[in-house]
Amino acid sequence: MSARSAQLPRLLSRAAKLATPATARLAAIRASARQMSTARVSLRSNVLRTTPFVRARQYSSKSYPDHQLVGMPALSPTMTQGNVGQWQKQVGDRIEPGDVLVEIETDKAQMDFEYQEEGYLAKILAPTGTKDLGIDQPVAIIVENEADVAAFADYSPGAKTEAAPVQETVAKEETKEAAAPAKAAPSQAVESGDRIFASPLAKMLAKEKNIDLAQVKGTGPRGRIVKADIEGFVAPVAEKAAPAPVAKAAKPAPKAAPAAPSVSAGFTDIPLTNMRKVIATRLTEAKSTIPHYYLTQNITMDNVNKLRKSLNSAANGSYKLSVNDFVIKAAASALRDVPDVNSSWQGEFVRQHHHADIAVAASTPAGLITPIVRTCDAKGLKAISSEVRDLVTRARANKLKPEEFQGGSFTVSNLGMFGISSFSAIINPPHAAILSVGTTESRLVLDEASEKGFKAVENMSVQLSADHRVVDGATGALFLKAFKGYLENPLTMLL
């Protein structure tokens, strides 16, 4: 027992000596962990300090009073950009709710942009004549107080965005440098060192060719110059030795300029209007996605011409009915009889309309537009004639409201006044059909009651373009049969 007691202090001393390295290692590990944590916190704080700096530089360095940026309005569902017309308010003018701020040319018409808040016009950012301005792009600045108008005299929306990318780049570079400072050190050591690293073979070749190694960029490990670098250095020297012949060879190039006159003499490039862009997009989509089919019908117009002449004579100048007015009324009556044609494709369902809202294709200087005559089935010839004239006149002056050319249930396109016998029109989506109307021509037809066995009649050719997803062929034929019946017996339209 006494022997074991004598050995106990020695064993404890040895155990303490063995434990000391482990304790030291543990302390070192803990210290290292604290340092890594501190480094992460330091790096994180650097990034956080950088981020607000970048956001702050998104704004102008000059402080402006409270204001509101007015963006390009979307004045129609199909509008993606617009042109700025005449400004109705000038800088410093007071604006009341409902005042017209500026005229905007949409994809269909020129419309008034009415501002719905009070304030003062401080700055016009898009002057008259600005083209193809996207939706929500700033056009003006409105302030609440008249005294704040002068503060925006030198305001520029681009000033806020020009400096931002530069500062963001600087901030990113500072962050990269803080996160990885050791990455740039090797390259600096190689570039700034006085010693040139090159392989023995590269040195020998450089000496034979009288090449200064200081002018050679090494591609080997750590920028070392190798044999390929010396061999590749020969070509640049040859190019630099003869700059004059290259310059002389380039002088004859302007002689190719005579081709320019043929450009101006051969064609003229006409910029696209917003309306033309929309027409191109919509009709391309319609022709490529809608399964068109076509039905043609010949109609005797003698009775319509007689009735039209009689009604116009009795009007004493108060109205003047056209053949197109009878066509629109007959189409509305036929749509009432065959409601399946008075429908539209809605993707997941077919919508059948309760009234004949007929879009009438009208040509304007800017392009084709289809103002809509509402509830034609409930209107007389005189009302239809008056409304068509008014809509077409305002369409050619770009004065239509959006509700006057959007929607509808059926389209009529008449080219008869241009002498066109017949044509195939493209469906105007979401309508299920469009009626193309040709001119009226005299034709000889068989007539058993006549002594000659034939007679001359006034004949008009029409063609129905229908969407086969909505209107079956037999349904389209029924519509044309009803349409023909109303025109050949026009008094039935008056019942």
Side-chain angles (χ1 to χ4, degrees):
M1 189 69 179
S2 58
R4 290 182 179 178
S5 299
Q7 293 177 356
L8 182 60
R10 187 174 55 190
L11 293 175
L12 291 175
S13 176
R14 182 178 296 178
K17 291 180 180 180
L18 293 175
T20 298
T23 304
R25 287 195 300 272
L26 181 60
I29 291 173
R30 289 176 178 174
S32 177
R34 282 195 299 269
Q35 292 176 358
M36 292 176 64
S37 177
T38 302
R40 285 197 298 269
V41 172
S42 176
L43 179 59
R44 186 181 304 167
S45 64
N46 288 337
V47 175
L48 291 176
R49 283 196 300 269
T50 303
T51 303
F53 172 73
V54 174
R55 291 178 181 174
R57 297 296 292 178
Q58 297 294 325
Y59 300 93
S60 175
S61 59
K62 179 179 178 180
S63 59
Y64 291 98
D66 292 341
H67 61 280
Q68 182 175 357
L69 280 174
V70 180
M72 170 66 73
L75 299 179
S76 72
T78 58
M79 179 179 173
T80 58
Q81 58 187 10
N83 300 337
V84 179
Q86 188 67 36
W87 281 89
Q88 303 300 317
K89 297 289 184 180
Q90 301 301 321
V91 173
D93 289 353
R94 179 173 176 80
I95 301 173
E96 299 289 345
D99 284 355
V100 177
L101 190 63
V102 62
E103 295 178 354
I104 300 295
E105 181 186 344
T106 70
D107 53 345
K108 291 293 185 181
Q110 184 138 341
M111 304 174 60
D112 294 335
F113 173 30
E114 297 180 356
Y115 195 68
Q116 301 303 324
E117 297 182 20
E118 295 181 356
Y120 294 87
L121 181 57
K123 185 75 173 181
I124 295 176
L125 302 177
T128 298
T130 302
K131 301 289 186 181
D132 301 333
L133 198 62
I135 299 300
D136 294 333
Q137 291 295 313
V139 297
I141 294 178
I142 305 295
V143 295
E144 294 183 1
N145 302 318
E146 186 177 6
D148 296 336
V149 172
F152 292 88
D154 60 346
Y155 178 90
S156 175
K160 298 189 295 183
T161 57
E162 288 174 359
V166 177
Q167 297 300 332
E168 185 178 359
T169 304
V170 172
K172 287 181 179 179
E173 291 175 358
E174 292 175 355
T175 305
K176 290 180 180 179
E177 290 175 2
K183 194 172 183 179
S187 60
Q188 293 175 357
V190 173
E191 293 175 2
S192 61
D194 296 331
R195 183 180 176 185
I196 298 176
F197 295 93
S199 68
L201 180 58
K203 291 180 180 179
M204 183 182 66
L205 290 175
K207 187 176 181 180
E208 291 176 355
K209 297 183 179 183
N210 294 323
I211 296 175
D212 186 3
L213 290 176
Q215 299 179 359
V216 182
K217 185 177 180 180
T219 60
R222 298 181 60 85
R224 188 180 186 184
I225 300 173
V226 295
K227 175 185 175 182
D229 300 328
I230 301 299
E231 293 176 346
F233 190 76
V234 177
V237 172
E239 291 178 1
K240 290 181 180 179
V246 176
K248 291 180 180 178
K251 287 182 180 179
K255 293 183 179 180
S262 62
V263 175
S264 59
F267 60 85
T268 301
D269 293 332
I270 302 174
L272 294 178
T273 63
N274 288 340
M275 182 183 293
R276 179 58 56 188
K277 292 177 182 178
V278 172
I279 290 173
T281 301
R282 286 176 58 83
L283 294 187
T284 301
E285 179 184 358
K287 192 63 175 177
S288 59
T289 61
I290 297 177
H292 287 60
Y293 74 90
Y294 309 95
L295 300 175
T296 303
Q297 183 68 275
N298 292 316
I299 301 171
T300 301
M301 297 294 289
D302 289 355
N303 293 335
V304 166
N305 291 337
K306 291 177 182 178
L307 179 60
R308 172 173 169 262
K309 183 178 180 180
S310 176
L311 292 175
N312 286 337
S313 297
N316 293 324
S318 60
Y319 61 85
K320 185 177 181 180
L321 301 177
S322 66
V323 173
N324 202 49
D325 299 331
F326 284 88
V327 169
I328 294 172
K329 181 59 180 178
S333 301
L335 289 173
R336 181 187 57 201
D337 295 346
V338 189
D340 289 343
V341 180
N342 195 35
S343 303
S344 60
W345 178 261
Q346 301 293 329
E348 298 296 328
F349 57 90
V350 173
R351 175 173 295 163
Q352 190 173 106
H353 302 275
H354 297 162
H355 293 284
D357 298 330
I358 297 183
V360 181
S363 176
T364 70
L368 183 69
I369 192 169
T370 52
I372 299 169
V373 184
R374 306 285 179 181
T375 62
C376 290
D377 52 318
K379 293 178 179 177
L381 288 167
K382 180 180 177 181
I384 291 175
S385 177
S386 176
E387 193 167 342
V388 168
R389 290 177 184 274
D390 175 64
L391 288 171
V392 172
T393 299
R394 288 192 290 115
R396 288 171 178 164
N398 288 329
K399 296 298 182 183
L400 287 180
K401 300 177 181 178
E403 60 270 18
E404 292 176 324
F405 58 80
Q406 295 171 5
S409 61
F410 187 81
T411 308
V412 171
S413 180
N414 191 342
L415 293 179
M417 66 284 295
F418 298 104
I420 302 301
S421 299
S422 64
F423 63 100
S424 301
I426 301 174
I427 296 173
N428 180 27
H431 300 175
I434 180 173
L435 185 69
S436 55
V437 182
T439 190
T440 300
E441 301 174 324
S442 295
R443 291 185 181 180
L444 296 177
V445 297
L446 295 175
D447 183 13
E448 296 180 356
S450 174
E451 294 181 359
K452 297 180 179 179
F454 61 88
K455 66 177 180 178
V457 298
E458 296 296 315
N459 183 81
M460 182 180 72
S461 176
V462 298
Q463 186 175 87
L464 180 71
S465 304
D467 183 350
H468 218 316
R469 298 173 301 181
V470 181
V471 181
D472 293 332
T475 305
L478 289 175
F479 169 82
L480 282 183
K481 181 180 179 180
F483 177 76
K484 178 179 180 178
Y486 283 114
L487 284 181
E488 292 187 345
N489 299 282
L491 291 177
T492 56
M493 291 189 289
L494 307 179
L495 299 177

